[in-house]
Amino acid sequence: MQNERKPLYMQIQQHFKDMIVQGRLRENDKIPSEKELMEQFDVSRITVANALMQLAKDGWIYRIPGRGSFVSEGIGELLHRHQGSASPDVTSRTALDGNAGMLVHNAGAADALLGGGEAALQTSGRTTIGLVMPMLVDYFAIRLLQGINNIIADSPYSLQIVLTYNSIDREKEAIKDLIRKGAAGLIIFPCDAETYNEEILSLKMRGYPFVLIDRYLPGVATNLSRSDGMIGGQLAVDYLWSLGHREIAICSDSPLPTITVEERINGYMEALKQKEAMINPALILTDFNVDYSEIDKKHPLYRFIKNQIATAYITLNGRLGLHIYSICKELGLKVPEDVSILTFDDPSPGLHEWGYFSHISQSEVEMGEAAARILLDIFQKPDAKEPGYTKVILEPKLIESQSTGPLRKRTT
């Protein structure tokens, strides 16, 4: 009877968790199709989709568009984490890997550097490595590229960059085109999307050399270089809390529920739980897009800041931090006296020893260097039949600067 009171999508999730725990479904086994599940459980397509999406986010399964859902690779690791639980009903937001970082628009300098959607940094006669990225218009992306180039520059390879503008379709075409042109391997910064790009999974199945950078595919084992977003979210809250802030908002500039956003918010919530503080959903601002071309006084973010609901803001990318700073200036609010702003990634060019914004650094130069090294190492062992996967997980760092300060009591 207790199970009957659970929402239907949770019952479907539990059904498959039980089958996996009991060994009736194993690594890479196919899950029945959505249509079959609709008939089996007598539910709507939305209910089935919600159940499968949550199972994927929690690391139990992975999904390939057009092919179906499968039990995650390395599922034994997830099961091991939950050994000793009183029940296999595990609903925590656990994933087999983590991710951090969002590549977003900021400065226009890189557009001038690239001159369009594709840039080639090649030397005649050298074998190509392809770099597939959503955008290359902010300092995070430029520092990431710097790290990759630090390693590639001293190798027999040259680097060709293709920008996808965060489009899955363009990402697919970029991968196909680079392979057609004879690229020896790829470094891929995946698009932010709710579904996987099957071309990336196809590379894995064919044994083609590639490394994912910054973002990852939950439940799918690949070579990977990233920063730990969960730790980054915790660092951000711990620091602002130490300054006396209790009304701490966390903000994204897109409503898309990606793994990138989710992991940092999980870190934010975990830090508050550890402090036995209430989690206020109104302070988790992720349900809107941001138009950076202007300050819209009717935008919910503008109204939120105007009403001074939060005393501190954590932004999931540097550009959003700059935007909130501009809104504060428009409203006559002083940073950090009235409002503290802590960004993920440094929105400044880093040309001086210090910048204005306190931020969570993901060590993007080191991240890029690690990705390039992994790929070059793969090239050194081309005959390996079952190569293991290399994962470099960097720990984020808190960089204190001028955009954050102690909570100042408000006068009434």
Side-chain angles (χ1 to χ4, degrees):
M1 294 295 293
Q2 184 179 3
N3 192 54
E4 293 177 1
R5 290 195 291 268
K6 284 185 179 180
L8 290 171
Y9 78 93
M10 291 183 65
Q11 293 183 36
I12 297 172
Q13 289 177 52
Q14 191 60 48
H15 169 78
F16 286 108
K17 289 178 184 179
D18 289 344
M19 291 189 71
I20 292 169
V21 169
Q22 295 162 13
R24 289 185 287 162
L25 282 174
R26 299 182 182 277
E27 186 175 288
N28 292 318
D29 283 353
K30 194 174 188 301
I31 302 294
S33 68
E34 288 191 2
K35 184 177 180 182
E36 290 170 327
L37 293 177
M38 288 165 63
E39 294 173 356
Q40 178 180 345
F41 292 95
D42 191 23
V43 294
S44 68
R45 183 178 295 277
I46 292 176
T47 299
V48 171
N50 284 340
L52 295 178
M53 181 175 70
Q54 190 60 56
L55 284 168
K57 285 185 175 180
D58 289 347
W60 293 85
I61 66 173
Y62 64 92
R63 308 181 73 185
I64 304 177
R67 296 185 56 199
S69 300
F70 303 82
V71 178
S72 290
E73 297 178 343
I75 189 66
E77 181 182 343
L78 185 145
L79 294 177
H80 178 72
R81 291 181 184 181
H82 302 307
Q83 280 180 349
S85 297
S87 163
D89 181 11
V90 181
T91 56
S92 62
R93 313 290 277 187
T94 303
L96 299 180
D97 290 305
N99 179 48
M102 299 183 72
L103 183 59
V104 292
H105 316 172
N106 185 17
D111 275 342
L113 171 69
L114 296 175
E118 180 173 332
L121 306 180
Q122 286 188 285
T123 303
S124 178
R126 298 174 73 185
T127 306
T128 300
I129 287 173
L131 172 60
V132 180
M133 301 185 74
M135 293 282 183
L136 188 51
V137 289
D138 70 351
Y139 294 114
F140 171 84
I142 292 171
R143 286 188 285 263
L144 201 65
L145 175 58
Q146 177 188 338
I148 295 170
N149 211 42
N150 286 347
I151 304 303
I152 300 293
D154 294 326
S155 77
Y157 301 93
S158 60
L159 189 64
Q160 180 169 335
I161 308 165
V162 181
L163 305 183
T164 65
Y165 298 99
N166 221 28
S167 161
I168 285 279
D169 290 335
R170 290 190 182 191
E171 186 175 84
K172 292 176 185 176
E173 288 305 312
I175 291 171
K176 291 177 183 177
D177 189 54
L178 285 164
I179 293 174
R180 277 196 302 265
K181 292 178 178 177
L186 300 177
I187 298 173
I188 304 172
F189 192 131
C191 293
D192 255 341
E194 294 181 81
T195 58
Y196 298 157
N197 176 355
E198 60 266 27
E199 287 300 321
I200 296 178
L201 296 166
S202 175
L203 296 178
K204 171 184 167 65
M205 295 167 70
R206 287 154 44 197
Y208 183 87
F210 76 97
V211 182
L212 297 185
I213 190 166
D214 194 77
R215 299 173 182 169
Y216 74 106
L217 308 181
V220 181
T222 65
N223 295 297
L224 175 66
S225 175
R226 66 173 179 89
S227 176
D228 192 319
M230 181 93 171
I231 291 177
Q234 291 176 294
L235 267 178
V237 172
D238 289 345
Y239 170 60
L240 293 169
W241 191 275
S242 73
L243 294 175
H245 296 280
R246 298 296 179 264
E247 303 302 320
I248 303 170
I250 187 165
C251 314
S252 173
D253 57 358
S254 169
L256 196 62
T258 64
I259 193 69
T260 302
V261 171
E262 181 176 311
E263 191 177 55
R264 292 178 177 180
I265 291 176
N266 283 347
Y268 165 90
M269 293 192 295
E270 181 60 29
L272 291 175
K273 287 177 184 176
Q274 290 177 4
K275 300 175 192 319
E276 299 183 348
M278 287 187 60
I279 296 172
N280 182 357
L283 294 176
I284 302 175
L285 308 175
T286 61
D287 57 350
F288 47 70
N289 285 300
V290 173
D291 179 2
Y292 289 107
S293 64
E294 62 177 357
I295 294 178
D296 180 2
K297 295 183 179 181
K298 296 181 180 179
H299 194 280
L301 180 59
Y302 183 93
R303 294 198 299 266
F304 190 95
I305 296 170
K306 181 179 181 180
N307 292 329
Q308 299 187 55
I309 297 172
T311 63
Y313 292 83
I314 301 167
T315 70
L316 297 192
N317 59 70
R319 191 183 189 198
L320 184 55
L322 290 169
H323 187 68
I324 288 177
Y325 177 86
S326 297
I327 293 175
C328 289
K329 188 174 181 181
E330 171 85 11
L331 291 167
L333 298 173
K334 294 181 179 179
V335 177
E337 291 84 356
D338 300 318
V339 175
S340 283
I341 302 172
L342 178 66
T343 69
F344 268 81
D345 312 321
D346 186 0
S348 75
L351 300 177
H352 306 285
E353 292 183 2
W354 52 265
Y356 179 79
F357 281 87
S358 297
H359 62 278
I360 302 297
S361 168
Q362 298 181 88
S363 303
E364 47 266 41
V365 172
E366 291 88 342
M367 192 190 303
E369 290 175 342
R373 286 195 191 99
I374 292 170
L375 195 57
L376 294 183
D377 286 345
I378 295 171
F379 295 158
Q380 297 301 314
K381 47 184 179 183
D383 299 326
K385 299 296 182 184
E386 294 290 338
Y389 295 106
T390 302
K391 298 179 183 179
V392 174
I393 304 174
L394 301 169
E395 187 164 322
K397 301 179 184 119
L398 171 69
I399 309 298
E400 298 180 54
S401 193
Q402 301 176 70
S403 65
T404 52
L407 176 68
R408 189 175 74 173
K409 291 184 179 180
R410 293 171 177 169
T411 57
T412 56

